[in-house]
Amino acid sequence: MSPKQQRGEETADRLLDAALAVYAEAGESGVTVSALTKSSGVSLGSLYHHFGSVDGLMNALLMRWLGRLLDEVGGALARSRTARTGIRAVVRAYLAFVGEHPDAARLLHSSYADRLTMAQARQVRDNQEARLSPVATWLEQHVVSGELAPLPAPLIETMMLGPVIGVARRWLSVGDVDLDQAARVLPDRIWRSLTP
């Protein structure tokens, strides 16, 4: 990588880090050009050069953190031999990620993220395909083996992640859920719902 490319990458990273910090402190409405350039120390021209707009920056930020979450979940799943241990690993990895990265998790579970993923669902899925394909393959293998109920993959994904996402949202917004307790309780409940 040339020095110019490296500087460009460092500038983009500073903008992404600043966007998360501004979002965490001021919410979606606080993510303005002025706040971003002030927090990052990066010029307005650089913001537009790297991301095209504030929306472009926020979309890139969402994809960055969604990718990291999917890497954690996918990695946990890949190390699991059975469907039951896979479900446990997914729940634990997801909730651990939320607990370790609350600002990013708040963004990923925000109405902003919901609007983006609803409006651009296919594009988001295509963008994360390399991370999602192994999960789909894992699910299919365990359906074929008879460990998981013969249901469509999107339904299994929803049944597996729906309760986890619900707990994450509640912890992030209200704070009255114990993530460790949820990581202990949810896997067996989810497992029972997915057995043939």
Side-chain angles (χ1 to χ4, degrees), residues 4 16 27 38 49 56 66 72 77 94 96 98 101 121 124 136 143-144 154 156:
K4 184 177 180 178
L16 288 163
K38 182 179 178 184
H49 170 75
L66 178 60
E72 292 291 319
L77 200 57
Y94 196 109
V98 168
H101 307 285
V124 170
V143 167
V144 169
I156 294 174

Side-chain angles (χ1 to χ4, degrees), residues 6-110:
Q6 188 172 350
R7 282 191 309 275
E9 195 171 293
E10 289 168 1
T11 298
D13 284 342
R14 279 204 335 257
L15 282 162
L16 288 163
D17 292 343
L20 182 60
V22 169
Y23 179 85
E25 185 176 312
E28 184 180 343
S29 63
V31 180
T32 64
V33 170
S34 174
L36 292 167
T37 55
K38 182 179 178 184
S39 178
S40 67
V42 172
S43 72
L44 175 64
S46 290
L47 187 153
Y48 285 108
H49 170 75
H50 289 286
F51 299 102
S53 66
V54 173
D55 281 342
L57 172 61
M58 292 304 290
N59 291 351
L61 182 63
L62 275 167
M63 291 304 104
R64 171 193 248 191
W65 283 101
L66 178 60
R68 290 177 181 179
L69 172 59
L70 291 173
D71 285 345
E72 292 291 319
V73 168
L77 200 57
R79 294 186 293 274
S80 303
R81 293 183 182 201
T82 69
R84 189 173 193 163
T85 59
I87 290 168
R88 181 177 297 119
V90 165
V91 171
R92 289 181 176 171
Y94 196 109
L95 294 178
F97 180 92
V98 168
E100 292 167 14
H101 307 285
D103 292 339
R106 214 167 264 107
L107 174 64
L108 288 172
H109 294 87
S110 69

Side-chain angles (χ1 to χ4, degrees), residues 51 53 55-64 66-67 70 112-132:
F51 299 102
S53 66
D55 281 342
L57 172 61
M58 292 304 290
N59 291 351
L61 182 63
L62 275 167
M63 291 304 104
R64 171 193 248 191
L66 178 60
L70 291 173
Y112 179 84
D114 288 346
R115 286 192 310 273
L116 176 70
T117 54
M118 292 296 283
Q120 302 174 16
R122 181 139 334 260
Q123 182 182 354
V124 170
R125 194 153 183 93
D126 290 349
N127 184 286
Q128 299 298 331
E129 183 60 34
R131 292 176 172 105
L132 293 170

